[in-house]
Amino acid sequence: MSIRGKACIAGVYEHPTRKAPDKSVAQLHAEVALGALKDAGLTKDDVDGYFCAGDAPGVGATSMIEYMNLKVRHLDSTDTGGSSYLVHVSHAAQAIALGKCDVALVTLAGRPRSEGMATGTTPRMRDPNQPDFQWEFPYSLTNVAGYGMCAMRHMHEFGTTSEQLAWIKVAASHHAQHNPNAMLPEVVTVEEVVSSPILADPLHRLDCCVISDGGGAVIVTRPEIARSLGRPLVKVIGAGEAEKHTAGGDVDLTYSGAVWSGPAAFAEAGVTPADIKYASIYDSFTITVLMQIEDLGFCEKGQGGRFVADGNLISGVGKLPFNTDGGGLCNNHPANRGGMTKIIEAVRQLRGEAHPAVQVKNCDLALAQGTGLQLGARHGSATLILERE
């Protein structure tokens, strides 16, 4: 069964705070839920499906459904790290197509900044019951180290340079300057990126995402409901999800799970990468963006460095505008999970509601791409193709 055109995104909301020491995680979830419902023109009593991931406190969906006093007939707490929320939109569309729910709420929220977490610098694996614990924890694999390995291997295989990676941060900063909520609103240069301190060779500090509190929410509905709300119609026309892991030791660090999730989404949508007007691409680190751009088919494998250079990702300048809110590299990375904000900015672009300085002209087809967990080991990948009617 295809979900093409069988569900629409009717509401989105991004929490404006980047530091919330006075709020609980549950409160942040509730606030973004109310924001998305208001954006859609609905109320909590309209919600009959709820979706969340591991960032939700307590017993996940069960705790949050009670906290927000929802009455639902379908729930899903799939967790694939930062890609979870794109998976949730896909699963919500499937549930709607099957008649399991009519109005699905997806929420994300967290307080890593207030709680003093340092993204990418602490050991990834902490649970001794995880099957990979005994092999990785003794060597203190961190996120930034794992992504650094991917960057180093990509440089070795294809001649990618630090300067090329830096262009991804530069593009994000050009967009963030127009976002009043962005944590890093100042435009940076390639020279400033490559001269910032090395965290995990070859990744510099400015190759890494920000750490922020906050969150976001999405409302997915049946098309008939979406049309009745008087908002610009954003249809889900394609979705793909995949997992990449170490494959029993057969490891290639130069590609991501997007090599599978991307083609599946494009095939369902009946479009190609060349048709995409705007792309929201998970940007935990600059290398994350470069690898996904290649794996999604926007350029050949190994050509990502050349593709992203010289402003090719800057709206109004390059041919693939990306992350026009500033992304995780400059705007926010709530709960250390950036997939939700990728959906939100893609919807803004399709509605024509992005900042005028970065709004893509005639934006009728957008892609949102998420990657969760460790790019250098095991991770989830999810791709959405969205269309403005």
Side-chain angles (χ1 to χ4, degrees):
M1 180 193 74
S2 173
I3 62 170
R4 182 175 180 176
K6 294 181 180 178
C8 297
I9 296 179
V12 294
Y13 182 76
E14 177 187 352
H15 207 292
T17 189
R18 300 297 180 259
K19 189 171 185 179
D22 59 334
K23 298 179 186 292
S24 69
V25 174
Q27 183 180 352
L28 289 170
H29 273 273
E31 289 180 0
V32 297
L34 288 173
L37 287 166
K38 181 179 179 181
D39 181 62
L42 297 167
T43 72
K44 75 176 186 66
D45 293 332
D46 296 308
V47 175
D48 61 351
Y50 179 65
F51 296 71
C52 67
D55 59 279
V59 194
T62 303
S63 295
M64 288 310 306
I65 287 169
E66 179 182 30
Y67 182 84
M68 294 188 286
N69 195 22
L70 302 175
K71 185 176 181 179
V72 304
R73 55 195 180 100
H74 187 79
L75 58 89
D76 186 330
S77 56
T78 299
D79 192 359
T80 59
S83 60
S84 301
Y85 318 95
L86 295 96
V87 171
H88 291 160
V89 170
S90 172
H91 289 189
Q94 294 172 40
I96 289 168
L98 290 170
K100 300 295 184 181
C101 62
D102 295 322
V103 177
L105 166 65
V106 185
T107 65
L108 153 76
R111 301 172 63 252
R113 188 179 179 196
S114 291
E115 294 168 5
M117 294 184 186
T119 301
T121 58
T122 55
R124 180 87 216 185
M125 303 302 168
R126 298 183 181 87
D127 182 358
N129 293 311
Q130 290 180 225
D132 40 56
F133 178 89
Q134 62 180 315
W135 308 110
E136 294 180 2
F137 188 80
Y139 302 98
S140 299
L141 177 68
T142 63
N143 262 5
V144 69
Y147 282 74
M149 287 193 300
C150 293
M152 184 67 79
R153 189 64 193 180
H154 203 281
M155 290 177 170
H156 173 77
E157 291 282 348
F158 307 115
T160 308
T161 68
S162 291
E163 288 75 14
Q164 289 172 335
L165 288 178
W167 270 107
I168 299 170
K169 177 75 168 195
V170 170
S173 73
H174 273 267
H175 299 149
Q177 67 177 315
H178 304 293
N179 184 346
N181 295 319
M183 287 185 65
L184 300 178
E186 300 295 324
V187 174
V188 299
T189 65
V190 169
E191 291 73 19
E192 287 172 325
V193 177
V194 298
S195 63
S196 64
I198 288 280
L199 293 190
D201 195 14
L203 296 179
H204 302 79
R205 184 169 64 195
L206 292 183
D207 284 301
C208 306
C209 66
V210 299
I211 303 166
S212 73
D213 299 346
V218 172
I219 304 294
V220 188
T221 72
R222 288 191 290 113
E224 311 90 85
I225 295 174
R227 289 190 179 94
S228 73
L229 299 172
R231 303 288 279 125
L233 202 66
V234 175
K235 299 185 294 184
V236 181
I237 64 169
E241 55 190 84
E243 287 280 329
K244 186 193 174 191
H245 51 77
T246 56
D250 184 15
V251 181
D252 184 340
L253 296 174
T254 65
Y255 71 92
S256 72
V259 297
W260 301 300
S261 65
F266 281 117
E268 184 167 48
V271 300
T272 71
D275 298 317
I276 300 297
K277 302 289 183 61
Y278 165 79
S280 281
I281 300 179
Y282 200 112
D283 54 344
S284 48
F285 302 89
T286 53
I287 185 61
T288 322
V289 177
L290 185 143
M291 286 172 55
Q292 290 173 105
I293 283 175
E294 294 177 339
D295 298 338
L296 291 167
F298 290 111
C299 67
E300 294 182 9
K301 174 55 67 176
Q303 298 301 307
R306 295 179 179 87
F307 184 88
V308 302
D310 301 321
N312 199 38
L313 302 181
I314 300 174
S315 184
V317 176
K319 63 181 181 180
L320 184 66
F322 102 121
N323 297 7
T324 45
D325 61 340
L329 289 170
C330 295
N331 175 26
N332 70 338
H333 192 218
N336 294 334
R337 292 165 172 253
M340 175 64 76
T341 52
K342 300 301 168 278
I343 303 166
I344 293 171
E345 186 66 6
V347 171
R348 289 193 192 114
Q349 281 286 348
L350 291 169
R351 287 176 169 181
E353 296 174 353
H355 190 283
V358 298
Q359 176 66 53
V360 176
K361 293 181 179 179
N362 304 315
C363 187
D364 58 357
L365 200 61
L367 173 145
Q369 168 65 28
T371 296
L373 305 174
Q374 176 56 262
L375 193 66
R378 64 207 57 80
H379 63 269
S381 177
T383 310
L384 293 177
I385 309 294
L386 308 175
E387 182 180 45
R388 183 190 69 223
E389 186 173 85

